[in-house]
Amino acid sequence: MKHCTNCGYELEAGVQFCPNCGQVVRRNEQPDEVSTRERTGESASRHLKTDQRVQNAEQTSRIPDNDGNVAQQPARNNGIIVIIIVVALLLGGFFFVKNRVVISRDQLAANITKAVQKKDGKLSLKQFSKDDQELKFSSVGAKSVVRDMHNHSRDSLSEVGRIIVDGQRVAGAHAKYHFTVESKQVLGIFTSYYLTTRRTPIRVLDYTGSDGPVTVKLEDADNQRISKQQLSSGFFPGKYNLKVRSGDTQDDYWIWPNGDGETIDLTLTSDD
């Protein structure tokens, strides 16, 4: 006989509620049913916890906008960062090229003026084309040119750069230097200006009668020997002090190319 678990009232078989207190009467459950229910409950609990973790993870990466739409924030943020970096690099390269590589006509004139005022041959040579800069002994010539202009110019030194860029000659200098302003495109956007000049070949005419080999050395470059090929290929404008030997005869000479491209004859004669 079953009794109410609440009030102890004796219950008839099959009743679902206690007639005395109204307590729900549970039927006897088999052990297997209880075990199955417990296992099912544990499994459901595990699935619920897993679903909650997944939902929480999705919620952290999906933020609704004003219209209620959601977007994957990390992916979007990474894309924005990449774009910012690329733009920064492009802008940095743009300003570097514009400020360091591109030379305007005004900047070219200012650089030439500064080189003459400071007698800076290196700065002067940088204003010329790459081919002119790489010409053998061009540094010697460039140094002598700025010294000549600095020491002998009848024009104001502050106007020397503008005079040259305008295609004119500096008054008072030893030679009428031939410089030409040319331009090139940089990155297809900027126009950069520079100077060019013509090489002056040197031809040695030996009238000493020594019938010996002729050697030419450049005193301004630690007496480096100048080959026949270098003499014929030409020199950058400027003054060059030479030591020339023909057989047993040696003498000092100088040449002063002006950039017009005309060949200079270096005539060797004996003292007799």
Side-chain angles (χ1 to χ4, degrees):
M1 185 65 89
K2 294 177 61 175
H3 294 80
C4 177
T5 58
N6 183 47
C7 64
Y9 187 81
E10 186 176 326
L11 303 174
E12 296 182 359
V15 298
Q16 297 181 357
F17 300 94
C18 175
N20 182 46
C21 67
Q23 173 72 21
V24 176
V25 179
R26 297 180 59 184
R27 64 184 181 86
N28 292 331
E29 297 177 334
Q30 297 298 325
D32 290 343
E33 293 177 346
V34 175
S35 178
T36 299
R37 182 179 294 111
E38 290 175 350
R39 287 197 299 272
T40 301
E42 292 175 356
S43 177
S45 176
R46 285 197 299 271
H47 283 298
L48 178 60
K49 291 179 179 179
T50 300
D51 291 343
Q52 289 176 343
R53 287 196 298 269
V54 172
Q55 291 175 358
N56 290 339
E58 290 179 347
Q59 289 175 355
T60 60
S61 63
R62 301 172 69 87
I63 302 175
D65 58 19
N66 295 334
D67 297 327
N69 299 320
V70 295
Q72 295 290 338
Q73 292 300 313
R76 186 179 69 178
N77 290 341
N78 290 340
I80 293 174
I81 292 174
V82 170
I83 292 174
I84 291 175
I85 293 174
V86 171
V87 171
L89 290 175
L90 290 175
L91 289 176
F94 176 90
F95 285 109
F96 176 83
V97 170
K98 187 175 185 300
N99 296 327
R100 292 297 188 89
V101 179
V102 175
I103 303 296
S104 66
R105 289 181 68 93
D106 289 341
Q107 185 62 53
L108 178 62
N111 290 345
I112 297 171
T113 295
K114 182 178 180 180
V116 172
Q117 289 176 332
K118 295 182 175 295
K119 294 188 285 188
D120 189 340
K122 291 182 179 180
L123 177 59
S124 174
L125 190 57
K126 287 182 179 179
Q127 311 315 309
F128 287 82
S129 69
K130 185 176 180 181
D131 288 341
D132 289 332
Q133 293 182 40
E134 294 178 350
L135 184 62
K136 188 69 173 179
F137 306 123
S138 60
S139 60
V140 174
K143 186 175 183 179
S144 69
V145 169
V146 293
R147 283 183 174 179
D148 179 27
M149 291 182 178
H150 182 276
N151 296 334
H152 301 105
S153 173
R154 293 196 300 268
D155 296 310
S156 171
L157 293 185
S158 62
E159 295 297 323
V160 168
R162 177 57 58 191
I163 292 171
I164 293 176
V165 170
D166 288 344
Q168 301 174 18
R169 304 287 186 265
V170 177
H174 177 88
K176 294 182 178 180
Y177 301 106
H178 291 256
F179 300 138
T180 303
V181 177
E182 296 191 18
S183 64
K184 62 182 177 180
Q185 293 297 114
V186 179
L187 300 179
I189 302 175
F190 307 106
T191 300
S192 185
Y193 295 88
Y194 60 96
L195 295 178
T196 61
T197 188
R198 298 178 66 185
R199 302 180 182 187
T200 300
I202 306 299
R203 181 170 55 191
V204 178
L205 303 176
D206 186 4
Y207 294 111
T208 62
S210 64
D211 296 328
V214 175
T215 60
V216 181
K217 295 181 179 181
L218 182 58
E219 184 178 348
D220 309 279
D222 298 326
N223 291 318
Q224 290 186 47
R225 183 170 178 174
I226 305 175
S227 67
K228 290 183 179 180
Q229 182 179 359
Q230 290 169 344
L231 288 169
S232 61
S233 64
F235 284 74
F236 188 88
K239 184 181 181 181
Y240 299 85
N241 297 297
L242 308 175
K243 289 184 176 297
V244 183
R245 175 181 290 276
S246 175
D248 295 331
T249 302
Q250 177 174 307
D251 208 344
D252 294 335
Y253 295 83
W254 58 263
I255 55 174
W256 207 312
N258 63 7
D260 62 1
E262 298 293 330
T263 300
I264 293 178
D265 289 335
L266 180 61
T267 303
L268 310 182
T269 58
S270 64
D271 294 333
D272 297 336

